[in-house]
């Protein structure tokens, strides 16, 4: 049986461990730190089989070199266009990878960075810093059109798909989502659940695509009422959903 478990790193990162519980084989996603991964492996008497990288930022890649020393010869999958030099198996959109018998398709999702990719299937998908619960990544390298188009690719996933992003940002994201849609009961209900989880120091992730369609303002920028509460200093021509998305992203950056 394969299951996905969070390994806490830094202040709010999750390194996702994909573990075959029968054979105790593990792949990890975006290991920004090596020591929490090695502790997890020791705790479960498990063997590291490979690494998946979504993009080049240090908090997703800094643990790779040490883990390669710890487990020599393991494959490091990641975007072909990445400036991160530790990738041994470069990937582009349309490629597929097999992880412990499960197939993942690769989609390119520029926006947060230009090299960002996601590993997706209808069961569980690893979205890095592209799609968060109730949020999306800042546009450090890409532009709003690119990020909007990237999010549209993820919207094609099934409602039941579990979304594993890399940061515990849900509480702050929901505060912004409520400012965008103060009358959205789904957001209010989700806030209560998230607060209970965080009060117990439990993860709010994974989320699901069904949940995100209801509460994530960045996925809902094509809905007419979303413009209603955007402050005037962030509004521009909003004749196209990507322009509404751009206004939301600018507002969130200053929120």
């Amino acid at each position: 049986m394969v299951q996905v478990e969070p390994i806490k790193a830094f202040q709010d990162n999750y390194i996702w461990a994909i573990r075959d519980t029968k054979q105790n084989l593990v792949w990890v996603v975006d290991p920004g730190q090596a020591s929490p991964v090695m502790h997890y492996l020791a705790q479960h008497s498990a063997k590291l089989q490979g690494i998946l990288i979504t993009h080049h930022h240090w908090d997703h890649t800094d643990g790779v070199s040490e883990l390669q020393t710890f487990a020599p010869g393991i494959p490091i999958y990641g975007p072909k266009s990445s400036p991160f030099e530790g990738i041994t198996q470069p990937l582009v959109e349309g490629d597929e990878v097999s992880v412990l018998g499960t197939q993942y398709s690769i989609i390119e999702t520029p926006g947060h960075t230009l090299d960002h990719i996601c590993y997706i299937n209808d069961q569980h998908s690893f979205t890095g810093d592209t799609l968060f619960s109730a949020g999306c990544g800042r546009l450090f390298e890409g532009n709003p059109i690119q990020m909007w188009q990237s999010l549209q690719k993820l919207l094609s996933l099934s409602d039941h798909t579990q979304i594993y992003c890399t940061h515990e940002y849900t509480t702050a994201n929901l505060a912004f989502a409520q400012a965008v849609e103060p009358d959205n009961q789904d957001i209010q209900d989700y806030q209560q659940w998230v607060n209970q989880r965080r009060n117990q120091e439990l993860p709010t992730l994974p989320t699901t695509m069904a949940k995100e369609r209801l509460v994530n303002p960045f996925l809902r920028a094509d809905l007419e009422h979303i413009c209603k509460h955007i402050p005037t200093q962030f509004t521009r021509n909003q004749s196209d959903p990507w322009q509404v998305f751009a206004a939301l992203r600018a507002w969130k950056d200053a929120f």
Side-chain angles (χ1 to χ4, degrees):
M1 179 181 177
V2 174
Q3 60 190 42
V4 182
E5 299 169 326
I7 302 173
K8 292 184 179 181
F10 304 115
Q11 183 176 351
D12 53 32
N13 282 57
Y14 293 126
I15 300 166
W16 293 107
I18 309 169
R19 181 163 68 99
D20 182 325
T21 56
K22 185 175 182 180
Q23 301 183 71
N24 267 343
L25 303 176
V26 173
W27 284 66
V28 293
V29 184
D30 286 346
Q33 286 182 299
S35 55
V37 174
M38 291 189 287
H39 175 76
Y40 174 90
L41 294 170
Q43 183 182 24
H44 295 283
S45 301
K47 183 178 180 181
L48 184 63
Q49 294 288 283
I51 295 173
L52 304 180
I53 298 295
T54 61
H55 65 291
H56 66 85
H57 281 168
W58 66 270
D59 61 321
H60 297 247
T61 60
D62 268 10
V64 170
S65 179
E66 188 174 346
L67 290 173
Q68 283 179 299
T69 301
F70 175 75
I74 58 171
I76 315 297
Y77 286 92
K80 184 176 182 179
S81 63
S82 184
F84 175 61
E85 296 180 351
I87 292 165
T88 65
Q89 307 290 328
L91 300 169
V92 297
E93 180 151 350
D95 285 345
E96 292 198 357
V97 299
S98 179
V99 176
L100 300 176
T102 299
Q103 292 293 120
Y104 294 91
S105 298
I106 304 306
I107 59 171
E108 295 175 356
T109 55
H112 178 67
T113 63
L114 293 178
D115 67 327
H116 205 297
I117 61 174
C118 297
Y119 300 80
I120 68 169
N121 63 35
D122 273 348
Q123 181 181 3
H124 43 237
S125 296
F126 298 96
T127 61
D129 286 0
T130 295
L131 177 65
F132 299 129
S133 186
C136 73
R138 285 178 178 262
L139 308 184
F140 286 117
E141 297 175 8
N143 59 50
I145 297 178
Q146 288 175 312
M147 184 61 116
W148 175 248
Q149 291 172 342
S150 294
L151 294 175
Q152 298 312 293
K153 294 179 183 180
L154 291 169
L155 275 169
S156 68
L157 292 168
S158 300
D159 277 353
H160 64 264
T161 305
Q162 292 185 304
I163 303 298
Y164 296 86
C165 56
T166 319
H167 291 280
E168 183 58 71
Y169 289 165
T170 313
T171 299
N173 287 341
L174 282 172
F176 177 72
Q178 187 173 44
V180 178
E181 294 188 89
D183 299 324
N184 185 327
Q185 187 63 47
D186 292 305
I187 291 173
Q188 296 170 31
D189 293 344
Y190 191 33
Q191 279 182 313
Q192 291 183 356
W193 180 85
V194 166
N195 289 339
Q196 290 173 357
R197 296 285 292 182
R198 297 310 295 152
N199 287 339
Q200 299 174 62
E201 298 185 356
L202 295 172
T204 63
L205 303 169
T207 182
T208 65
M209 279 309 303
K211 175 66 68 178
E212 296 311 302
R213 292 184 214 277
L214 295 174
V215 304
N216 193 319
F218 298 106
L219 298 181
R220 295 164 62 81
D222 58 346
L223 301 179
E224 186 175 348
H225 71 275
I226 292 294
C227 298
K228 184 177 178 182
H229 295 284
I230 299 177
T232 55
Q233 66 264 38
F234 302 113
T235 59
R236 296 176 294 200
N237 177 11
Q238 295 179 358
S239 60
D240 192 283
W242 79 262
Q243 294 169 323
V244 179
F245 168 82
L248 288 170
R249 187 62 260 180
W251 181 16
K252 178 63 164 67
D253 290 345
F255 191 74

